[in-house]
Amino acid sequence: MANALTRYLDSIKARDPAPRSRWEVLLYPGVLAVGLHRVAHWLFVGELYFLARLVNHLSRFLTAIDIHPGARIGRNLFIDHGFVVIGETAEIGDNVTIYQGATLGGTNPANGEAGKRHPTVEDGVIISLGVAILGPITIGAGARLGANAVVTKDVAPGAVMVGIPARPMPVDARAKQKAFMPYGTPCSEVMDPLAQRLEAMRAEIDALERKFDALKATAPDDGPGGRQDLFG
């Protein structure tokens, strides 16, 4: 058990440059929240629902992190800071990183798998600050969700998602991310797809304006079909 705790603390140190020792990591609210959730989940599985909720409320009071006792969490979850909400039927894989203000929320169970209202987050996903993942969708392994993205559809493994609603950027996070990149930061050289389309439209308009100016310059000055006739 001591070795497992050491590995967990070291995994957090590898993703956060702030702590200078494992002792500092032990004081993190995310570490306390995950530890108390393990207790609450054990009680929940044993159908001791009131006690599970009691531990959950204590954890939320101490850490400002609300993890439902029914949520299933893998190894080495790192919740950086607080104000995170994880719903009852959420499932989180190994080595997932969640930043402040993120929500793994639910939707009407009639819209998805019976009894499953919350997301499934696979291994190695980075969920940046303010992200909302809504409904029984799957976030593929290694994906990165940019700040304040609202995700309502399945995300492919390795995808980089930005915007409201979230849309993929044309880059594979697994190919670009040689080391851990905090906050799910997209690769700086890759533009937002919408910005790319707007830039293409601007370039096309510029080309049309140049053709128009060239046509205007070569038109005769007067007479039928002349510059005055064509361009007023």
Side-chain angles (χ1 to χ4, degrees):
M1 185 173 180
N3 289 336
L5 177 60
T6 298
R7 288 194 296 270
Y8 175 49
L9 299 179
D10 286 343
S11 76
I12 292 177
K13 281 190 66 181
R15 287 175 277 176
D16 185 3
R20 292 168 176 78
S21 70
R22 294 169 183 154
W23 294 106
E24 286 187 50
V25 179
L26 277 172
L27 298 176
Y28 278 22
V31 172
L32 178 58
V34 171
L36 290 173
H37 171 73
R38 303 291 187 197
V39 176
H41 185 68
W42 181 78
L43 294 169
F44 187 87
V45 171
E47 299 185 357
L48 300 172
Y49 301 122
F50 175 79
L51 292 178
R53 275 291 193 178
L54 184 63
V55 174
N56 165 241
H57 281 276
L58 174 64
S59 175
R60 184 171 60 183
F61 174 77
L62 294 174
T63 66
I65 296 170
D66 187 1
I67 308 175
H68 191 283
R72 293 192 285 177
I73 294 177
R75 295 175 299 169
N76 301 332
L77 172 63
F78 175 30
I79 300 177
D80 196 0
H81 307 295
F83 313 106
V84 168
V85 177
I86 299 174
E88 177 183 6
T89 60
E91 300 176 50
I92 299 176
D94 298 338
N95 302 306
V96 171
T97 303
I98 303 178
Y99 289 93
Q100 63 268 24
T103 298
L104 276 62
T107 57
N108 185 343
N111 295 334
E113 179 184 339
K116 174 72 169 168
R117 308 187 312 278
H118 301 88
T120 296
V121 179
E122 296 182 347
D123 298 348
V125 172
I126 302 174
I127 301 172
S128 191
L129 65 160
V131 170
I133 309 173
L134 305 176
I137 61 177
T138 298
I139 310 300
R144 297 209 305 266
L145 310 182
N148 297 313
V150 177
V151 187
T152 58
K153 297 180 180 179
D154 289 348
V155 174
V160 178
M161 306 293 292
V162 297
I164 304 174
R167 55 191 182 275
M169 296 183 70
V171 59
D172 190 321
R174 296 167 300 183
K176 292 289 185 179
Q177 186 176 317
K178 296 181 180 179
F180 179 78
M181 298 182 69
Y183 291 95
T185 309
C187 302
S188 59
E189 69 271 18
V190 180
M191 295 177 63
D192 186 314
L194 179 58
Q196 287 183 318
R197 288 195 291 270
L198 291 174
E199 179 64 20
M201 290 176 60
R202 189 191 66 79
E204 186 174 349
I205 292 171
D206 287 345
L208 290 172
E209 287 180 343
R210 287 193 296 270
K211 289 181 181 179
F212 178 81
D213 291 340
L215 180 62
K216 184 177 180 180
T218 57
D221 289 335
D222 50 21
R227 184 182 305 174
Q228 184 68 28
D229 187 26
L230 289 174
F231 305 106

